[in-house]
Amino acid sequence: MSIKEVRLSKEVEEISQQIIEWRRHFHRNPELSLKEFKTSAKVKALLEEWGVPYQGVGQTGVLATIKGGLGEGSTILLRADMDALELDDKTQCSYTSQNEGVNHACGHDGHTASLLGAVKVLKDKEFKGTIKFAFQAAEEVGLGAKEFIDGGHLQGVDLAFGIHLHSPMEVGKVIAAVGPRSASCDIFEIEVSGESAHCSKPHEGRDALMAGSHIAVSLQSIVSRRIDPLHPVVIAIGEMHAGTKYNIVAGKALLKGTLRAFEPKTRELALEQIEQVAQDTAKIYGTTAEFRNFAASPSLINKEKEVELAKKVLMNIVGEDNIVEHMPASLGGEDFADFLEYVPGLFLHVGTRNLEDEGTWYPHHHERFDIDERALPIATQIHVDTALAFLAQE
């Protein structure tokens, strides 16, 4: 589509460049999960400037609240994540990261800027009910949404709404699909314990490195032989640490990995199998294995009722032809799914690719990830219109 076909309100049009400048500020100054202190301070400063009440959530999260002037009604929570990645920034642009080794390579800078735009517009609107704005820390490590939940901030919320920028899709298009949109995410560790010895006498030790290596290989048999092929699962080992010196049989080994799945029963079975395979394989090599798991997020599933609301909103912004209703789900994790364990919700993906600018074609989590910034006001408009449409419902 032509970006000119997107319909933005006068209020959003007027602050479009400001939204882009906020995004560039955050991109220059990225911060890792649970360390978003300057990002949080910038958000708070703007809220104070606009006279919007807020409170802290955890060390860096922020929850702003606007009550409508037309009386009591429903409550909607709009969410944006704020954390960046431990990754070099190789975009070589005017807003390249000034924080070495840290990069907003997933679009969370755009999420934060777009939601700030929604606050600025909605604070002057008349509506019935309450709008909460969750500026969330630590999505990348699966801890931020839990801070809002554990703090009781979802109590009384009738709908949670979130947006993720999406580099594979052209700017002006929006994914509003029913069903799973992202997988559950488990982050696990397997600690293998053996016994050190001199490498010239390996029979006197119990090699944890050898055992750990075979565990890493054996885990792949779970997906190929113990899980229904029609139920997608990924088991991946991203780290392995073992040994202290070239001539010492390793007494310890540590494997770190992740499990991704869409269906809760498949996830449960896979976790059981990972622990069993690790322990049984370790035993073969005279070692032991301890399995530890952190459930970062469940699978994120959009329901039909909420998607229908989104489609009505999007019709007036991008038009029917640019609403993408069928798109394969991602095995990536998204901790917005934690909110959906407690309240109804909806999660959309907003396209950011410019077909004429290859700089916007890089995938998320790539050192050269960047976006067509014309997507940012679109995201703001979607936040604004979704909130007002939901609160206007009887």
Side-chain angles (χ1 to χ4, degrees):
M1 72 174 293
S2 168
I3 194 70
K4 294 180 181 179
E5 297 174 30
V6 172
R7 293 181 287 275
L8 301 179
S9 67
K10 179 181 178 182
E11 298 97 328
V12 173
E13 284 276 16
E14 288 176 349
I15 64 170
S16 291
Q17 191 57 43
Q18 181 65 76
I19 295 168
I20 291 171
E21 288 304 317
W22 289 331
R23 182 258 168 170
R24 293 184 178 186
H25 169 83
F26 294 131
H27 198 92
R28 288 190 198 97
N29 301 280
E31 296 174 292
L32 296 176
S33 302
L34 300 177
K35 297 179 181 179
E36 309 93 335
F37 296 106
K38 293 180 180 179
T39 304
S40 178
K42 177 69 171 179
V43 169
K44 291 175 181 177
L46 289 170
L47 294 174
E48 289 172 4
E49 177 184 328
W50 301 331
V52 176
Y54 68 85
Q55 63 187 107
V57 178
Q59 287 191 316
T60 53
V62 182
L63 178 66
T65 303
I66 299 175
K67 292 186 177 294
L70 302 181
E72 297 294 324
S74 299
T75 297
I76 185 171
L77 180 144
L78 308 179
R79 173 269 204 174
D81 38 17
M82 303 188 296
D83 53 333
L85 293 159
E86 194 169 350
L87 188 71
D88 289 334
D89 187 343
K90 296 184 179 180
T91 53
Q92 297 181 337
C93 59
S94 63
Y95 46 86
T96 295
S97 170
Q98 301 301 301
N99 188 357
E100 187 176 353
V102 184
N103 182 6
H104 266 300
C106 197
H108 297 187
D109 50 348
H111 302 169
T112 303
S114 297
L115 189 59
L116 283 170
V119 176
K120 190 168 186 178
V121 171
L122 287 166
K123 69 182 179 63
D124 297 323
K125 292 287 187 181
E126 287 292 322
F127 57 87
K128 181 179 181 180
T130 301
I131 305 175
K132 294 185 176 184
F133 304 86
F135 294 90
Q136 180 204 303
E139 187 279 330
E140 293 291 353
V141 294
L143 291 172
K146 292 178 174 65
E147 290 186 333
F148 282 82
I149 295 166
D150 294 343
H153 301 300
L154 263 65
Q155 292 180 10
V157 171
D158 299 294
L159 184 77
F161 177 73
I163 284 175
H164 205 297
L165 301 178
H166 192 62
S167 67
M169 182 160 290
E170 182 183 356
V171 64
K173 294 184 179 293
V174 182
I175 302 173
V178 177
R181 302 314 312 144
S182 65
S184 59
C185 175
D186 290 278
I187 303 170
F188 63 82
E189 294 183 347
I190 299 171
E191 184 174 355
V192 183
S193 297
E195 189 171 340
S196 299
H198 197 287
C199 279
S200 66
K201 297 181 179 180
H203 59 286
E204 293 181 355
R206 290 177 289 132
D207 195 338
L209 189 155
M210 176 75 75
S213 300
H214 282 270
I215 289 171
V217 173
S218 297
L219 289 179
Q220 300 312 307
S221 67
I222 297 172
V223 175
S224 64
R225 290 296 179 268
R226 304 193 187 192
I227 301 294
D228 187 331
L230 298 179
H231 299 166
V233 171
V234 168
I235 298 173
I237 301 296
E239 294 183 55
M240 182 172 173
H241 309 274
T244 58
K245 197 173 181 180
Y246 78 96
N247 61 349
I248 300 175
V249 172
K252 292 283 187 181
L254 181 65
L255 290 73
K256 296 183 180 182
T258 185
L259 164 70
R260 308 298 174 96
F262 291 127
E263 299 180 2
K265 289 185 178 180
T266 303
R267 175 190 190 183
E268 183 179 349
L269 173 61
L271 285 172
E272 291 174 354
Q273 290 294 316
I274 291 170
E275 182 172 15
Q276 181 179 338
V277 168
Q279 292 177 346
D280 290 350
T281 305
K283 188 176 181 180
I284 292 172
Y285 296 94
T287 62
T288 61
E290 180 184 355
F291 175 75
R292 298 184 292 267
N293 184 62
F294 169 64
S297 64
S299 56
L300 193 161
I301 302 173
N302 280 340
K303 302 293 181 62
E304 185 172 358
K305 177 182 177 182
E306 286 73 31
V307 171
E308 286 302 313
L309 170 67
K311 287 162 60 178
K312 292 177 182 177
V313 169
L314 294 173
M315 283 280 292
N316 295 321
I317 302 173
V318 299
E320 183 177 7
D321 291 344
N322 297 295
I323 302 171
V324 180
E325 298 183 54
H326 303 286
M327 178 63 64
S330 167
L331 280 161
E334 169 55 67
D335 81 346
F336 182 84
D338 284 325
F339 293 145
L340 304 189
E341 297 277 280
Y342 293 86
V343 299
L346 175 65
F347 199 72
L348 304 182
H349 288 80
V350 174
T352 64
R353 174 177 289 201
N354 184 333
L355 298 182
E356 298 177 356
D357 180 2
E358 292 185 3
T360 66
W361 293 16
Y362 290 98
H364 295 255
H365 294 216
H366 190 284
E367 294 93 336
R368 293 189 177 180
F369 173 85
D370 203 356
I371 62 172
D372 184 330
E373 292 175 317
R374 294 177 299 174
L376 301 177
I378 298 173
T380 292
Q381 191 72 64
I382 295 170
H383 274 302
V384 169
D385 290 2
T386 300
L388 295 177
F390 177 73
L391 296 177
Q393 294 180 136
E394 292 295 333

